[in-house]
Amino acid sequence: MRSVLVSKARRFNPPLSKLLHNPAMPRRLRHACAALLLAAGTAAAQGLPAEVEAALARGKLPRDAVVMLVAPAGGGAPRVAHRVDAPVNPASVAKLTTTFAALELLGPTYTWNTTVAVDGPVRDGVLQGNLYLKGQGDPKLVIERLWLLLRRVQGMGVRSISGDIVLDRSAFEVPAVDPGAFDGEPLRPYNAAPDALLVNFKSVVLHFTPEAGQARVQAEPALAGVQWPASIALASGECTDWRAGLRANFADPARPRFEGVFPAACGSLSWPLAFPQPASYAARAVAGTWQEMGGQLTGQVREGRMPSGARVAFEWPSLPLAEIVRDVNKFSNNVMAQQLFLTLSLQQRGKGTFEGSREIIRTWWTDRFGGEAPVMDNGSGLSRSERITARQLGQLLQAAWASPLMPELVSSLPAAGLDGTLRRGRRNVGLAHLKTGSLRDVAGVAGFVHGAQGRRYVVVALANHGNAVAIRPAIDALVEWTAREP
């Protein structure tokens, strides 16, 4: 039976492979051919390579806890197909679906515009009324870009505002969440919630610099109304779990305290953390930045809606989508991925909602690939309910390789041993561009491996198991085996 399947695959793959690259063929038919090749070759694909089997055995990771796929990026029968139809939690590998869908549905040059409006005239440097900032989901309105936006306001001759600065976040409709609900880590920046006016990822970076018997503390950005300790006592000893040694107390977010010590042996270090009162972050950051720039404000920074009668002063564009996708995938930024996800429904339906974006992804998948779509939740992989199969990931990656958007997607993936979430790897340097995924009980990668003879391969390897991290040596072995092109 196996020999018959191999014979059939050899007989039919060449003409189908040519069809895949025929620009005259409708896109949907080309992808149907690619899916047929992937499906037809699965039964003929060999089992897991011996070195991969050995790595799984050493890690005590059962074969039925992993899914693996290796197939030519340009289409064709798989070289490895192990449990390719088993739905698994992909963790951050889910970002591949979100980012490729966003590139196709929005376009690589898409930008998010933050609307800046006023409801009064400017006289002698004073805005006689309110300043409005209406967010449209910009995923990277970091503090430097907020400063530039406000500098543009000052360029309009505004030095003082007699009314309020009003923040309009109505473009997204998302439920309130407890930042510690997912994993009990509310201070981790990766747990930041999406927001139509997402400022600086709702995060703060604390810098600790030892000097003269104490460590100086510097917080960035400046948050209005928040008084950080100026210093913390130094301690002798090794630099081990120094964050725990700080004994940070955020019971009063406006008056954080450090009740512990900072090890002098650590030298200068930084601690990025999510602000413990995320709902107030945007207002504090805007007020703090305006004050640092010398701006004056008679009223307050508050939430509200931009009235229809307000005069639009300018639109502040974001970075283009292609650059945003690079940050999302290289550094596995969860909140940026959720901003992308919500933007899909904002653009098509006028309001960014998770359910609306799930429906859009399902429709896009069916139109693009046919068959059942992956189960999406928030688009970032920071979820226990998202599910996808290795076959589906293989279809997506092969379609991306044949797409005009291939350079944007592939360049956004971490390069093995060189950058992003794969920067610290010691093996396979430069051999692959892979999106990583990691949660408790989930670990894996999906992406492209560069063969020694110039061919490119789609590779998927995911584990769902209590010992999922043990898949990493097996992934290294699979990448090396794939690159050798036996």
Side-chain angles (χ1 to χ4, degrees), residues 112-370:
W112 292 258
N113 288 327
T114 300
T115 301
V116 179
V118 297
D119 62 4
V122 179
R123 296 193 182 100
D124 299 324
V126 179
L127 170 60
Q128 307 289 329
N130 298 324
L131 176 74
Y132 297 90
L133 305 181
K134 183 174 182 179
Q136 295 291 323
D138 185 343
K140 200 174 181 182
L141 187 58
V142 292
I143 207 67
E144 296 87 350
R145 301 195 69 254
L146 175 65
W147 187 93
L148 290 171
L149 181 155
L150 294 175
R151 184 69 187 88
R152 174 84 177 272
V153 171
Q154 291 186 339
M156 296 163 48
V158 178
R159 293 294 180 271
S160 179
I161 300 171
S162 66
D164 299 331
I165 299 179
V166 182
L167 310 181
D168 187 337
R169 303 159 61 190
S170 61
F172 286 173
E173 189 174 288
V174 294
V177 296
D178 174 3
F182 184 76
D183 59 5
E185 296 284 355
L187 298 180
R188 297 280 189 175
Y190 64 70
N191 273 323
D195 197 313
L197 190 62
L198 179 70
V199 176
N200 207 53
F201 312 130
K202 303 180 185 178
S203 296
V204 178
V205 179
L206 300 179
H207 302 286
F208 299 88
T209 306
E211 57 183 22
Q214 59 184 7
R216 179 164 47 87
V217 180
Q218 179 188 7
E220 293 180 339
L223 299 179
V226 179
Q227 184 176 338
W228 297 95
S231 63
I232 183 174
L234 286 179
S236 58
E238 297 181 357
C239 182
T240 53
D241 189 3
W242 62 273
R243 290 185 181 89
L246 298 175
R247 294 174 55 201
N249 184 334
F250 297 108
D252 180 359
R255 299 290 186 275
R257 302 194 308 274
F258 298 119
E259 298 170 348
V261 294
F262 181 79
C266 289
S268 296
L269 288 176
S270 298
W271 181 18
L273 73 155
F275 187 63
Q277 194 180 61
S280 71
Y281 183 91
R284 292 184 186 277
V286 170
T289 304
W290 182 248
Q291 291 168 7
E292 277 200 331
M293 298 172 65
Q296 296 180 351
L297 178 64
T298 302
Q300 61 182 324
V301 181
R302 61 177 174 86
E303 289 191 31
R305 295 291 187 95
M306 185 179 77
S308 58
R311 177 174 61 85
V312 175
F314 61 90
E315 302 278 359
W316 185 252
S318 70
L319 298 173
L321 176 64
E323 291 189 40
I324 297 296
V325 164
R326 186 177 175 87
D327 276 359
V328 169
N329 285 333
K330 287 282 187 187
F331 306 104
S332 210
N333 191 301
N334 292 317
V335 71
M336 290 179 74
Q338 293 180 52
Q339 298 284 114
L340 282 189
F341 192 71
L342 288 163
T343 299
L344 299 177
S345 52
L346 175 63
Q347 289 304 303
Q348 291 195 20
R349 303 185 178 187
K351 180 74 72 173
T353 68
F354 283 129
E355 183 51 42
S357 293
R358 291 177 200 128
E359 292 178 8
I360 287 167
I361 288 285
R362 284 193 292 267
T363 300
W364 169 78
W365 187 278
T366 301
D367 291 344
R368 190 71 161 85
F369 306 107

Side-chain angles (χ1 to χ4, degrees), residues 318-462:
S318 70
L319 298 173
L321 176 64
E323 291 189 40
I324 297 296
V325 164
R326 186 177 175 87
D327 276 359
V328 169
N329 285 333
K330 287 282 187 187
F331 306 104
S332 210
N333 191 301
N334 292 317
V335 71
M336 290 179 74
Q338 293 180 52
Q339 298 284 114
L340 282 189
F341 192 71
L342 288 163
T343 299
L344 299 177
S345 52
L346 175 63
Q347 289 304 303
Q348 291 195 20
R349 303 185 178 187
K351 180 74 72 173
T353 68
F354 283 129
E355 183 51 42
S357 293
R358 291 177 200 128
E359 292 178 8
I360 287 167
I361 288 285
R362 284 193 292 267
T363 300
W364 169 78
W365 187 278
T366 301
D367 291 344
R368 190 71 161 85
F369 306 107
E372 189 174 351
V375 177
M376 301 295 285
D377 180 7
N378 57 41
S380 72
L382 194 68
S383 168
R384 294 293 175 189
S385 62
E386 293 188 333
R387 293 292 183 273
I388 196 168
T389 69
R391 187 190 300 278
Q392 289 170 327
L393 281 167
Q395 287 179 307
L396 184 147
L397 290 167
Q398 286 182 332
W401 188 260
S403 166
L405 297 166
M406 179 273 286
E408 282 76 16
L409 185 72
V410 177
S411 65
S412 78
L413 304 182
L418 296 176
D419 67 5
T421 54
L422 289 177
R423 180 174 59 85
R424 297 180 181 178
R426 297 181 180 178
R427 296 174 62 175
N428 307 323
V429 175
L431 286 182
H433 281 79
L434 302 169
K435 180 70 199 79
T436 59
S438 180
L439 288 175
R440 188 191 72 240
D441 304 338
V442 182
V445 299
F448 302 95
V449 172
H450 315 293
Q453 298 174 30
R455 297 188 69 188
R456 300 294 186 266
Y457 297 92
V458 165
V459 170
V460 178
L462 285 160

Side-chain angles (χ1 to χ4, degrees), residues 41-104:
T42 297
Q46 73 170 63
L48 296 177
E51 50 265 63
V52 175
E53 293 269 20
L56 292 175
R58 286 193 301 270
K60 299 181 180 179
L61 188 60
R63 296 175 83 255
D64 62 3
V66 304
V67 300
M68 290 190 176
L69 172 70
V70 177
R79 290 168 56 189
V80 172
H82 176 67
R83 301 182 68 241
V84 294
D85 292 313
V88 294
N89 187 328
S92 283
V93 171
K95 292 181 176 71
L96 286 171
T97 302
T98 300
T99 53
F100 187 48
L103 284 168
E104 289 214 327

